[in-house]
Amino acid sequence: MVRKVGEVDFLVDDYNDLSVVPIEIKSGSDESNFRALPKLDGSDWTLESPKILHPNIRESWTDAINFVMTSTNEEFISGLDTYFDKQSLIDYYIFIYLICGLDGMGKNQVFTTYDGTKWYAEPYDLDSTFGLFYNGTKFIPATYKHQEDYESGKKVGGNLLYIRLSELFDKEIRARYIQLREVLNTDYVANRFKEYIRKIPYQLYEQESVVF
């Protein structure tokens, strides 16, 4: 089954109530960076599906963020997989760095849960990637540092979830990157873009240039 959320189609398992919590808020917020508990009232994290926020989902997401904020290093290492799917966090971390996702650790985050307990990270709203400014008018300087100069790094010191992940699961992140190195390289990524571009008739690019 597919539930349409705005302009995005989310696949929903018929036997599981998939809750989607996407973030679309002012950049540099404590809530988006896992440094303050969520309100879930439309001012910070917003539940997209289902329409009604179940108390169990509110409690689960609050507990997950509280865990990031308050756990000791030992507790974070041993308990992370209780609240988050660790593999999805590692893959997301690598992916956002690969594409230079300007706001992928700030205001544009999506976490999903299938059981109301464990949350999975997934990409969302990729308009500011590969150095391109969100409206396509310019490229950011190549000297920008992630997260310091990106959305999540402004004012509040960066996304605490991914800071702790990178510090405490460094070996796992490095191992996963090495495992994916065959596809995480410039030639492979460039060729995939070229393949995609070739599928679109040139006339459509001309029409798009007139509009934008």
Side-chain angles (χ1 to χ4, degrees), residues 137-199:
T137 59
K138 62 181 180 180
F139 285 93
I140 64 169
T143 54
Y144 265 35
K145 295 180 180 179
H146 203 345
Q147 299 180 40
E148 293 90 332
D149 299 319
Y150 283 44
E151 290 284 353
S152 57
K154 297 176 180 177
K155 299 181 182 178
V156 290
N159 188 307
L160 187 60
L161 171 60
Y162 292 107
I163 289 174
R164 300 197 72 185
L165 181 78
S166 65
E167 291 175 347
L168 300 175
F169 291 94
D170 176 70
K171 291 182 179 179
E172 289 88 340
I173 294 173
R174 290 174 182 272
R176 181 60 168 164
Y177 180 80
I178 292 172
Q179 183 183 12
L180 298 173
R181 195 69 181 95
E182 183 177 340
V183 295
L184 299 184
N185 63 75
T186 303
D187 289 340
Y188 181 86
V189 173
N191 286 333
R192 291 303 301 269
F193 269 109
K194 291 175 183 177
E195 291 173 6
Y196 180 77
I197 290 172
R198 283 195 291 266
K199 295 179 181 179

Side-chain angles (χ1 to χ4, degrees), residues 85-183:
D85 181 75
K86 182 175 68 176
Q87 191 61 60
S88 78
L89 295 182
I90 291 174
D91 286 350
Y92 184 84
Y93 180 88
I94 293 172
F95 178 71
I96 290 299
Y97 271 86
L98 171 71
I99 66 173
C100 299
L102 277 175
D103 46 19
M105 291 183 182
K107 66 179 182 178
N108 286 333
Q109 299 177 76
V110 168
F111 285 87
T112 63
T113 179
Y114 290 89
D115 61 5
T117 301
K118 181 177 289 190
W119 295 86
Y120 296 74
E122 61 181 63
Y124 172 68
D125 195 355
L126 304 178
D127 56 356
S128 299
T129 54
F130 294 100
L132 186 65
F133 200 58
Y134 79 94
N135 59 9
T137 59
K138 62 181 180 180
F139 285 93
I140 64 169
T143 54
Y144 265 35
K145 295 180 180 179
H146 203 345
Q147 299 180 40
E148 293 90 332
D149 299 319
Y150 283 44
E151 290 284 353
S152 57
K154 297 176 180 177
K155 299 181 182 178
V156 290
N159 188 307
L160 187 60
L161 171 60
Y162 292 107
I163 289 174
R164 300 197 72 185
L165 181 78
S166 65
E167 291 175 347
L168 300 175
F169 291 94
D170 176 70
K171 291 182 179 179
E172 289 88 340
I173 294 173
R174 290 174 182 272
R176 181 60 168 164
Y177 180 80
I178 292 172
Q179 183 183 12
L180 298 173
R181 195 69 181 95
E182 183 177 340
V183 295

